[in-house]
Amino acid sequence: MPAAETNHMTLALHALAWTVAEPGRADRLLALTGLTPADLRASADRPATLAAVLGFLEAHEPDLIACAAAIDTTPVALVAARRELEA
């Protein structure tokens, strides 16, 4: 796996952890993506799942901004990671 993809996946995993840390946000993620908790656990290492998590954050700018601040990155980096993981 190329280093850039690893970095995007690592960033997305941090974003996933931040997202599911708050029950209401986690419930919204599951409802909007159609994932179940079991699906999420089973596929958390897949680029498509991680891209979906980042897309979820991107769709709600306050969460995107809060997540970026919490994991010490920028919203632009999260959006770029989503694009790369979808490629």
Side-chain angles (χ1 to χ4, degrees), residues 38-65:
D39 294 334
L40 192 54
R41 280 189 294 276
S43 66
D45 63 341
R46 295 185 189 142
T49 299
L50 295 173
V53 170
L54 294 174
F56 164 80
L57 293 171
E58 191 177 344
H60 187 68
E61 188 175 21
D63 281 348
L64 179 69
I65 292 168

Side-chain angles (χ1 to χ4, degrees), residues 1-39:
M1 182 178 305
E5 185 176 344
T6 301
N7 291 339
H8 295 307
M9 290 185 70
T10 300
L11 188 62
L13 284 168
H14 287 289
L16 172 60
W18 179 86
T19 300
V20 300
E22 198 279 314
R25 192 172 45 240
D27 290 343
R28 193 164 34 93
L29 169 70
L30 297 175
L32 292 174
T33 62
L35 293 167
T36 66
D39 294 334

